[in-house]
Amino acid sequence: MEFDDKVPIYYQIKTVIYDQIIAGQLAPGDKLPAIRQLAVSMTVNVNTVQRALSEMIAEGVIISRRGRGNFVTDNAQIVEQLKQQLMTSYLKQLYDRLHRLNISDEQMVAELTAYIERQGDSNGNDIED
Amino acid sequence: MEFDDKVPIYYQIKTVIYDQIIAGQLAPGDKLPAIRQLAVSMTVNVNTVQRALSEMIAEGVIISRRGRGNFVTDNAQIVEQLKQQLMTSYLKQLYDRLHRLNISDEQMVAELTAYIERQGDSNGNDIED
DNA sequence: TATAGTGTAATAGGAAACTAGTACACTAAC
DNA sequence: GTTAGTGTACTAGTTTCCTATTACACTATA
C-alpha cells in the first residue's frame, strides 16, 4: 500500500479503515482481517497497525475481542456520527484552504465542479454503460 | 501559530507562505520577513523556517539574496503555475476522499454547497456591509 | 489436551523532525 | 572600517514514528 510520507502511517491506516466503514465495505458487527493479516497486506509492521487500531478502539468504533478478532461496533449511531464527523472535516479542510487563497464561496463550488468535469473527461463515469 | 501535529511543521510553513503568495498578500518581487523574524512570529526554530525556505528556493518560487533577504520570484508565470498546482491538489484531495466514501459527483457538489451554507449562518459573509 | 489463530505487551534500534546554540559570510549604511 | 541586518552552516540532543523480534494470553477446535 502507498502512504503519504508527510502523515504518520498509523494515522493513514486509521483513515483508510474509517473510510471503509463509512462506505459500507465494513458493516456494523463485521470482523476485521487479523492484525498480522492487515500488516502484511499493507506492508507495514504489526505494531503500526495496532497503534491505529488502539485509537479506533479508544474511540469506540472498533471492538476488540481477545483471541477472536477486531470487530466494527454494531452501534449504527456511532458509525453515523463518524460519517458526519469525517465528511465535515474533509469539507472544512478544502473550504479553509481555498478561503486562504481568497476564493469566494461561489468560485469554490465552480472550481470543484470544473475539477469534476476534468475528471470525467478521463474517467468517463456515468457515461459509458 | 498553530500547527497540525500530523504534518511536519516545515511543510506547513511552506504551505502558508505559498498560500500568501497565491492570495497576493506577497506579490512577485516582494521581500519576505527575515528568517529570524519569521521564526519568532511562528514560534518556531530558525532551522525549521530555513528548511521550508530551502525547498521553496529549490522550486524557484523564492529567490534568496545573501545579506539582503528572501524575495518572491518576479516571474509571474511561476506564481500562476503554483496557483494552478495547489488549487488542483486541494480539490483532488477532497475529491479522492469523498470518492472513497462512495459519494457521487453530484452529491459532492451538494455537500460542499451545504457546508458553505452552514458556514454562512455563523459567518454572515457577503451579507453584512 | 494440543494446536492454530487471534489480540497484547515489551524491548531495542534506526530515521526523521525539531530545537538550541554557535559561528561564519555577505550587504548596506554609517 | 565598523556595525547592524541578513542568509547559511554545523553540531548536539530530544521526541516521535517505524521496524524487528520475542513472548505471552485468550479462543476455538480437533
Side-chain angles (χ1 to χ4, degrees), chain B residues 15-57:
Chain B
T15 302
V16 167
I17 295 179
Y18 273 172
D19 283 355
Q20 289 179 351
I21 292 174
I22 291 174
Q25 290 154 32
L26 283 173
D30 273 5
K31 180 173 182 293
L32 270 64
I35 281 195
R36 291 173 179 81
Q37 196 68 36
L38 286 172
V40 169
S41 72
M42 292 174 165
T43 328
V44 147
N45 191 275
V46 178
N47 300 317
T48 307
V49 176
Q50 180 150 32
R51 174 154 187 190
L53 287 173
S54 297
E55 291 200 359
M56 295 189 280
I57 290 165

Side-chain angles (χ1 to χ4, degrees), chain B residues 53-102:
Chain B
L53 287 173
S54 297
E55 291 200 359
M56 295 189 280
I57 290 165
E59 291 166 14
V61 181
I62 299 292
I63 306 295
S64 170
R65 299 191 214 273
R66 195 187 188 97
R68 288 199 262 166
N70 291 298
F71 301 80
V72 178
T73 176
D74 54 5
N75 185 333
Q77 194 180 358
I78 291 184
V79 174
E80 179 58 25
Q81 271 180 4
L82 183 66
K83 176 170 183 171
Q84 294 308 321
Q85 181 187 320
L86 285 192
M87 289 266 301
T88 302
S89 78
Y90 291 169
L91 290 167
K92 175 176 166 55
Q93 222 177 82
L94 180 75
Y95 183 84
D96 290 348
R97 282 171 167 176
L98 294 191
H99 213 69
R100 277 199 300 182
L101 299 188
N102 274 336

Side-chain angles (χ1 to χ4, degrees), chain A residues 2-5 7-17:
Chain A
E2 287 182 5
F3 293 103
D4 179 349
D5 68 350
V7 182
I9 293 177
Y10 81 90
Y11 196 79
Q12 296 181 63
I13 292 175
K14 206 175 144 184
T15 302
V16 167
I17 294 180

Side-chain angles (χ1 to χ4, degrees), chain A residues 96 103 113 119:
Chain A
D96 290 349
I103 310 267
T113 307
Q119 288 308 300

